[in-house]
Amino acid sequence: MIFYFSGTGNSRWVAEQLADLTDDQTFDITAREEIPDIKNASQVGFVFPVYAWRAPEVMLEFAKILEKTHFFTFGICTCGQEAGLAMKNFPRIYPLDSSYSIVMPNNYIIGSDTDDRDSITIKIRDARDKLHKIAEEILNREKTYKVHEGSLARLKSGVVNFGFNRFARRTGPFYVSDSCISCGQCADDCPASAISMVNNLPVWGNTCYQCMRCINECPREAVQFGKSTLGRRRYSILPYLPDEEKNR
């Protein structure tokens, strides 16, 4: 079983690709469904994006309650470039036999503009190739650590991550422009259930994961975060996938 958390689709796609390559199944940890029984699982995997050089809090909380198993375990984090100590810290919560990082297109529109089309296409292509190698190693039960931590990893995964969780996950700056059509997609799709519709407009609560789904997948690009997202490109992986991978 491969458990995943995903904002704009990168980690979901990685999990689904890996499930196909290893004859496994995926489970969205925010699906609000009963956790599958893993007593008979042949392997247990975790796939998630890196948020400020650590695993997202929602994935860590999920791993804490998941039954430990003697089967082969692995973790894959998706990141814009560096993973920090995300994959060294995760085993403190749930033991891993193998760990990997995979570079995927940037979706953190609050921090910088998203990648251009050519860069996105190249990153997905390279990730697809890398996943074949990872799948082979997982099937062979190879214990390995192939994670690009980057420079100042301890500082980034420590002090910077603390600041992110303490201050950056605020929801006050979220708002919608006049182009909002009150479709409710942001509220329906929010994995944290942080958005509700009030008078036909979205209102943000206090449980935001900062996954960027609401901003990046708004059909009218109406969702903004202060002034930092104005004029920036939006990103979702779906437009870059073949039809057979979009409709899962």
Side-chain angles (χ1 to χ4, degrees):
M1 180 62 65
I2 301 175
F3 298 98
Y4 74 87
F5 167 71
S6 188
T8 54
N10 286 339
S11 294
R12 180 183 66 243
W13 176 78
V14 167
E16 290 173 346
Q17 291 297 300
L18 200 59
D20 287 345
L21 293 168
T22 62
D23 192 25
D24 206 342
Q25 295 179 318
T26 62
F27 181 82
D28 179 355
I29 67 168
T30 66
R32 299 170 185 85
E33 299 175 358
E34 185 176 350
I35 300 174
D37 186 352
I38 61 173
K39 291 180 180 178
N40 297 318
S42 60
Q43 61 189 25
V44 172
F46 302 89
V47 180
F48 51 84
V50 168
Y51 287 174
W53 298 282
R54 273 186 183 258
E57 187 176 33
V58 60
M59 177 57 83
L60 294 174
E61 292 302 315
F62 174 82
K64 286 179 183 178
I65 65 172
L66 187 66
E67 178 184 0
K68 304 299 188 295
T69 130
H70 62 278
F71 299 112
F72 187 82
T73 59
F74 62 89
I76 300 177
C77 67
T78 59
C79 54
Q81 185 176 8
E82 303 172 348
L85 299 183
M87 302 310 293
K88 282 185 176 173
N89 289 328
F90 191 85
R92 298 175 184 174
I93 305 297
Y94 202 100
L96 299 176
D97 292 310
S98 292
S99 298
Y100 302 88
S101 64
I102 295 182
V103 173
M104 292 293 290
N106 171 46
N107 80 341
Y108 195 60
I109 186 175
I110 292 176
S112 63
D113 206 347
T114 59
D115 297 328
D116 59 42
R117 176 171 292 273
D118 289 343
S119 297
I120 291 171
T121 301
I122 291 171
K123 287 183 177 181
I124 293 175
R125 181 201 65 195
D126 291 348
R128 193 184 294 274
D129 291 340
K130 187 171 184 177
L131 279 167
H132 280 82
K133 297 177 182 177
I134 291 175
E136 183 178 353
E137 293 179 356
I138 289 174
L139 290 172
N140 291 331
R141 301 303 188 234
E142 296 183 25
K143 296 184 178 182
T144 186
Y145 182 85
K146 296 181 178 179
V147 178
H148 178 57
E149 296 180 354
S151 61
L152 302 175
R154 187 176 299 277
L155 174 66
K156 291 174 179 176
S157 297
V159 175
V160 177
N161 180 266
F162 174 82
F164 171 79
N165 283 313
R166 180 68 176 83
F167 302 109
R169 288 170 56 186
R170 67 193 190 282
T171 58
F174 281 109
Y175 70 96
V176 288
S177 66
D178 292 340
S179 60
C180 175
I181 57 174
S182 303
C183 67
Q185 177 176 317
C186 55
D188 292 340
D189 292 349
C190 177
S193 298
I195 305 173
S196 57
M197 298 297 291
V198 178
N199 296 324
N200 292 320
L201 291 175
V203 175
W204 279 259
N206 298 315
T207 57
C208 179
Y209 298 148
Q210 287 274 304
C211 74
M212 301 294 103
R213 186 182 297 179
C214 61
I215 293 181
N216 281 298
E217 297 192 352
C218 174
R220 298 299 298 270
E221 298 188 5
V223 180
Q224 303 288 351
F225 189 89
K227 296 181 179 180
S228 61
T229 57
L230 293 171
R232 288 182 173 172
R233 295 182 293 263
R234 269 51 176 172
Y235 168 76
S236 173
I237 196 172
L238 286 180
Y240 299 91
L241 300 180
D243 289 341
E244 62 269 19
E245 294 179 2
K246 291 180 182 179
N247 300 321
R248 294 186 175 186

